[in-house]
Amino acid sequence: MKMNDITVRIGGQAGDGSLATGEILSKYFRRIGFYVATDKDFPSRIRGGHTSYAIRGSKKRIFSLDDRIDVLLAFDEDSILLHMDELESGGVVIFDSSRKDLEIKREDVRKVKIPLANIARKELGLEIIKNTMALGVLSKLFSLDSNIMRQTIRDSYKTKSEKIIEENLLAYEKGLEYSKDIEPMEGYVIEGDKVAPDTLLLMGNEAIGLGALAAGCRFIAAYPITPASDVLEFLSRHLPEKGGVAIQAESEIAAVNMAIGAGYAGLRSMAVTSGPGFDLKTEGIGLASMIEQPVVILDAQRAGPSTGLPTKTEQSDINHAVYGGHGDKARIVIAPGNVEEAFYFTFEAFNLAERFQVPVIILSDELISWNKQVVKRFDLDKLKVDRGKLELNPVSNEREFPRYDFQEDGISFRTIPGVEKGIHLETGDEHDVYGHITENASNRVKMMDKRMKKIQVMKNELFPSVVQGEGDVAVIGMGSTMGPILEALERIPREIKFIRIRTLFPFLDDVALHLKDVKIAFVVEQNYLGQLEDLVKLNTGFRNTVGIRKYDGRSFRPGIIERRIREVMGW
Amino acid sequence: MKMNDITVRIGGQAGDGSLATGEILSKYFRRIGFYVATDKDFPSRIRGGHTSYAIRGSKKRIFSLDDRIDVLLAFDEDSILLHMDELESGGVVIFDSSRKDLEIKREDVRKVKIPLANIARKELGLEIIKNTMALGVLSKLFSLDSNIMRQTIRDSYKTKSEKIIEENLLAYEKGLEYSKDIEPMEGYVIEGDKVAPDTLLLMGNEAIGLGALAAGCRFIAAYPITPASDVLEFLSRHLPEKGGVAIQAESEIAAVNMAIGAGYAGLRSMAVTSGPGFDLKTEGIGLASMIEQPVVILDAQRAGPSTGLPTKTEQSDINHAVYGGHGDKARIVIAPGNVEEAFYFTFEAFNLAERFQVPVIILSDELISWNKQVVKRFDLDKLKVDRGKLELNPVSNEREFPRYDFQEDGISFRTIPGVEKGIHLETGDEHDVYGHITENASNRVKMMDKRMKKIQVMKNELFPSVVQGEGDVAVIGMGSTMGPILEALERIPREIKFIRIRTLFPFLDDVALHLKDVKIAFVVEQNYLGQLEDLVKLNTGFRNTVGIRKYDGRSFRPGIIERRIREVMGW
Amino acid sequence: MVNISLYDRETPTWCPGCGDYGVLTALKRAAANLGLDPAKTVLVTGIGCSSKINSYFYSYGIHTIHGRAAAVATGIKLSNPELEVIIAGGDGDAYAIGTEHLVHIARRNLDVAYIVMNNQIYGLTKGQVSPTSEEGFVTITTPYGSYEKPVNGPLLALASGATFIARGFSGDIVQLTQIIEEAIRHRGFALVDVLSPCVTWNKINTYDWYKANSYQLKDHDPGDRNRAFQILQDDKFALGIIYKKEEKTFEEKVYRKYVHLPLKQLEVDRSIETIYEEFR
Amino acid sequence: MVNISLYDRETPTWCPGCGDYGVLTALKRAAANLGLDPAKTVLVTGIGCSSKINSYFYSYGIHTIHGRAAAVATGIKLSNPELEVIIAGGDGDAYAIGTEHLVHIARRNLDVAYIVMNNQIYGLTKGQVSPTSEEGFVTITTPYGSYEKPVNGPLLALASGATFIARGFSGDIVQLTQIIEEAIRHRGFALVDVLSPCVTWNKINTYDWYKANSYQLKDHDPGDRNRAFQILQDDKFALGIIYKKEEKTFEEKVYRKYVHLPLKQLEVDRSIETIYEEFR
Ligand SMILES: Cc1ncc(C[n+]2csc(CCOP(=O)(O)OP(=O)(O)O)c2C)c(N)n1
Ligand SMILES: Cc1ncc(C[n+]2csc(CCOP(=O)(O)OP(=O)(O)O)c2C)c(N)n1
Ligand code: SF4
Ligand code: SF4
Ligand SMILES: [Mg+2]
Ligand SMILES: [Mg+2]
């Protein structure tokens, strides 16, 4: 049936350990040489409420879930109610029947009922360990390599006590034991090379944190917010080792202004947030733009507006990232499409910020931020730090350094406090070349021209679109929709050109070129208003677009895209 | 030479009384039945620095200054340096030679030098009164009606002491006396009907304040900021008389949230600000949009980004007004083009806010906010208050009122605290019909659809564009550029269609219709990036636009527009 | 007396054992004791676990944005002083992102009660350091311990001009009910800081820890402002009413010279002719 | 000693007689006395008349946005603790829109001095009420008098954990110089509230008024925190150093376990391989 491509959804009440089990399973997949994609679904509350975690493992390079799941591991009734429909015909549901027995209606799937919790409680004295037991059942069903699984369990708990490791290993054995009479699934083959290649399994937020570290970012200020907090948390752990500072600020306004201060003082700095906090950073980003201050901002988008659905994904901050804030401003907005790009884009964001002396906004979304993918170990040798026109030994005879001197490319030399002969002012008021406030009209025009010129100059150095395929039908997407789009297109045996936009501001000219011979373009995005579609229309003049949009907070599945394209095209 | 259309620029150091003199002169113009347009130019500091005030009076209905001035009343040397070029050939410069004599180079203008300050000090014992003396000189030069002028002076100081009134009247007589040998200007006729019609002379900010009062707004919260503070100041004086509340909040964030609270509690409420403060209101406006809360926000635009040029005009917050804030949001953005519209739009803003239960943003600019124009007494009888679906006597048997019930037009019935049977929740989280938080996917879709539907529904009730003229060449503008555009077009004896856009979000379909047979459209706007032009392109698909932009903080003059059109068209 | 079930709404989704249950119960009891009319009461909250309390308490409720509840409440109360307006939220909401509004609502002496459920942690966002966390406190964002002295919310409110300051404990619902009742009854701004353990993320400041680190105020004169300042600097948490003073409320001052426009009267005096003179 | 003209920059555009001239002079003198190197000093300001001070004082300067100077300064000082970072601004900047940052910079005990030029009015925006305006004060936004009790900035800072609190007067440049010098020298967060008359918009709180309404602290032990709380509640303004305590600074704590990365060393350790284990 399905060769080396399997999706397992683990569902239960928060506290049932669905997430922990999923983590182990995804690690296992990586270790046998699979690629991984995951999707968390949990409510914005701390305990209780249905939580589920879908993990897909595949020998093929994947970036997102498939339409359907092969295994439903259900710790509670809700899992059955909510996810049974998703189960592939011929798949299997493993139901923990401890709390209650349940009649499961579908005839086309296999049903395995085990009172996992009861067994765990009675035989292991610890109910919560039931989740690791379930891994034993899975191992049996899919003939997983139990040695690798044991090692994975061991490693997963290695920051905990030896006791916990032992308990979990025991639970795993119990699971195997209880399923010794269970027949393995037919038609499924889950076989990697059993040798973990030199890869990493990590989520977008971790990749962003690593990218920042690798770029030499030494200052992060943030206020906690879902789904960006992980980056602050990751860097709080790792920055101090590197001589850097991570600070949880009193608000997002404080955070962005601290990051600006740090950048001004010469550290590569960053502030991470999501929608509501991104709104609050608007004024600060404007200051950075006006004083031509490098600073990197992450907006990990979630479903808005306002508090919206805090634990659900969306791509509806595009407009704010591109247009937000009063006045005409230079800025850069880039959007990685997968975990690997999240790393490299973050790395490059710090270079871009310093090279063009502008705020750089990394637009991620909840799905990318939380999706665990397998990536090749990052190649650091290829990554060069470019601090742009940072001048640490100016040889000026002037009493003040001409911080905003007019240069061909609009980019002036920059110094930082502590540098002799670098003394100057910086101000969000309009200013002259020394940074002194002036309201003079012709200076104003020259300074605006200078700052705005950068928008043109930087275009050559930003991330061009990635184009795949040819034809006069195009699909356009950005960010996390990459995964489902790729799979949808695989399923449609026609010529389709996929244009994945990676730079949103300034909008690059390549998109218009790619659209030259295109007759119809489907714009796939995770919002209501079609924010990306409008950007494309405005900047390319191409208007025969069809929006494929989703705004229920849940991520796209390939099938949605596939069906809509077929429907419109009559294919 | 010039019949009943005269522009006087009064310049000096701050403290020289240029503004006060200008106010009296503009009042005089109104009283003789003239229309008026003014433009203030002063630095962002309190004392010192060159300040000037240009007042144009005309029998013709005008909305802005002309290219050149007829009179330069110069209290200091800077006035000569900065504004002499602007003086019409055949015009007159009146120079206060007290501080210093100055050679004034131009031969084609008349020069009147009088040591005003010295005379005032010596003969009136009060130097600052020199400015009123200057009105005497002006009266003589242009044969102004001295009785009307005397009454205007008297009325202008009526809130001060009788002593001050007498001093100023005396100064006026002194001015007349000292200019008794001065010949009146040739070729100028300044003659109104000498009967003040039933008009008012007021600036945009005052019109906005009056509009709010007339609409029954009873709550304003604001944090001071140029050029919006006047509205807070005006309403601080007048709202209490009406049983309302004006509160200077601790910040713009506080202000918008207070206004939202007031709106929630049932008062028509408003928050006024400019660029930096508008940025800070972003999150709050998103909340209002999500909880479907009527609230009116004024953004009186000034030159950005960041602190920019705080006392200079610009139209560069269009993008933020239309696109600002995370998530997909319903809102209304309207832009009055003159002082009269500032009143009526403000009035209507409160109706729109309640009818569609959305935040309404009034986008003014510094020029409109400060420009004094003569308007017909407002016709209150025609203005109807419409509070929309406000339900004060719900007859529900439910324990909670279905505040977000689905209605045909997307607009639910609203109640306010204190109303029996109206109890419900409101939250910026996604919610069900009772306002209770829910993350359910299908509810999410229905609620998004409901809120977004309002964007379509409201389109019919917003301000359509005003179109004047016909032809396949169009000029597009919004806000304060109306005045200079109208005058520019008068000077070009060709068929040109002027489309003045008054609603920016949702963008109305009429603009595309008006552009149907147009071949080229000039988009006039006061910013660098062409924010209005982009809106037009995106929403109409019309792409053959030519931008006429200005971003030095100074307002347009008709000539700039005229020249550019002629140049491009080869006319 | 009203039955407290009048105030029942949704079943809370807080973690079992969360201190906020105690606060909810105390609030309901206080409301019942005072006979609050749900239709004339507004419970205004920010964002956080604690801020969900108006989903569980039956009255008008508005769950706003993080840190801004006090500003929204100011607009509500000023618009209709006849409403009973109660603010509630967490320590992050009130003492970090909301600091500004807390200070200014206190100095205005707006007649509202503000209940801060202080668990010394960020609950809803999963265990980050809070402004009230102790120095050295280890969390996911302070893996090497917090470097900051905690914000002392009640002290801040007192220094800002609040006219009622009290501290309660979710573990003592009887006293907490009294305190909340008093706070609502108080004419002026009342801050109630409630020690309300987060059983999920904060394993240090538990019920037992609070018991061991708090004490009951005895023979204390709440009118003594100097004493209040001292008490609030104690190492241990004083429980009870720490400060109380009658002063004119903001609403009284704002409406001093003018008759308040009753909300129901929606047809207001919209005439502006008398102002026209200014413009002639 | 350095000549104070070293710190001359632009000629101020403040109104003749503005109190801020006195502050500027005192700051220059203090800088000269301390021998501050302009290249290693950063004067961080917000927006307001007073915030223009870094246009007039020669050193690195950053004139930020309204109310946020303390946050920007935090980033600067943490990034390079070797810099002398001084914050300056107005009462609106510090005690209204900047309240939040003042409270939190104080509790962090960041080693910076914060000079607030308090004129009890909004100068630059032309005379609106300020958070420090007295109750009843008439301004263009409070035509019927202010309804709010003033914010007591130094008290707020003290309650927040500041380790140095002083008040000066622009009319007494000698004392003000000493105070500013001490504040800069102090290791930790130092708030200096300066009574600095706005001669244009505030006709009540004039030089004479301040003279009549302030007094010199005598025989005061700045180590006495309780006394400091009391002094700050006086009706009259106490002048001098009100509170001073040595505590670890934020930078010391943040970098406690780690060697600070000197700024000049721009090539940092960018290796991340050791972290890879987490992801396997
Ligand atoms: C502007 C903004 N920033 C951040 C968040 C994320 N957020 C939600 S609740 C919360 C803090 C929760 O802590 P606390 O206020 O103490 O409440 P608790 O959950 O502990 O009751 C944060 C940071 C948000 N919703 N909005
Ligand atoms: C976000 C924002 N809001 C408002 C303003 C307008 N503004 C500039 S200075 C100022 C206050 C000035 O008062 P204060 O801080 O006391 O300084 P002073 O001028 O009295 O020295 C205000 C409100 C602004 N620049 N930015
Ligand atoms: S996480 Fe903490 S604060 Fe939130 S509900 Fe659970 S116990 Fe309560
Ligand atoms: S307005 Fe006031 S604060 Fe501003 S410079 Fe003038 S006197 Fe000083
Ligand atoms: Mg908390
Ligand atoms: Mg001030």
Side-chain angles (χ1 to χ4, degrees), chain A residues 22-68:
Chain A
E23 297 300 350
I24 297 172
L25 188 61
S26 37
K27 282 192 185 204
Y28 172 87
F29 284 146
R30 189 198 70 79
R31 290 181 181 207
I32 63 167
F34 269 30
Y35 287 94
V36 170
T38 68
D39 197 355
K40 280 185 215 178
D41 191 5
F42 62 91
S44 179
R45 57 192 259 201
I46 301 306
R47 290 264 181 88
H50 177 72
T51 292
S52 88
Y53 196 14
I55 299 100
R56 178 177 177 196
S58 174
K59 220 167 173 174
K60 166 179 99 164
R61 188 151 189 216
I62 50 164
F63 299 96
S64 68
L65 297 188
D66 208 339
D67 288 301
R68 302 176 71 73

Side-chain angles (χ1 to χ4, degrees), chain B residues 448-559:
Chain B
M448 282 293 286
D449 290 346
K450 162 188 156 50
R451 289 189 297 266
M452 297 296 124
K453 181 175 207 178
K454 295 195 291 183
I455 297 177
Q456 298 311 319
V457 170
M458 63 177 63
K459 280 189 175 175
N460 302 324
E461 307 198 32
L462 300 173
F463 299 103
S465 299
V466 173
V467 179
Q468 173 183 317
E470 265 309 323
D472 58 10
V473 175
V475 174
I476 300 176
M478 63 138 241
S480 65
T481 56
M482 165 186 179
I485 292 174
L486 283 175
E487 304 221 14
L489 299 190
E490 270 177 27
R491 298 181 193 170
I492 308 177
R494 304 271 183 160
E495 290 221 310
I496 304 180
K497 186 187 234 179
F498 175 30
I499 305 170
R500 185 160 65 85
I501 298 177
R502 305 191 300 172
T503 302
L504 297 170
F505 191 92
F507 200 91
L508 306 184
D509 305 328
D510 62 345
V511 182
L513 290 178
H514 298 314
L515 283 171
K516 237 185 82 194
D517 298 318
V518 167
K519 300 231 165 62
I520 183 170
F522 293 87
V523 184
V524 180
E525 60 192 307
Q526 196 112 29
N527 62 51
Y528 182 101
L529 288 174
Q531 303 187 4
L532 180 64
E533 192 170 328
D534 277 356
L535 268 190
V536 170
K537 279 181 173 168
L538 171 64
N539 290 289
T540 64
F542 185 92
R543 294 185 76 84
N544 194 25
T545 52
V546 176
I548 304 184
R549 304 181 193 162
K550 200 164 189 315
Y551 47 91
D552 63 355
R554 279 70 180 177
S555 56
F556 271 108
R557 294 287 168 276

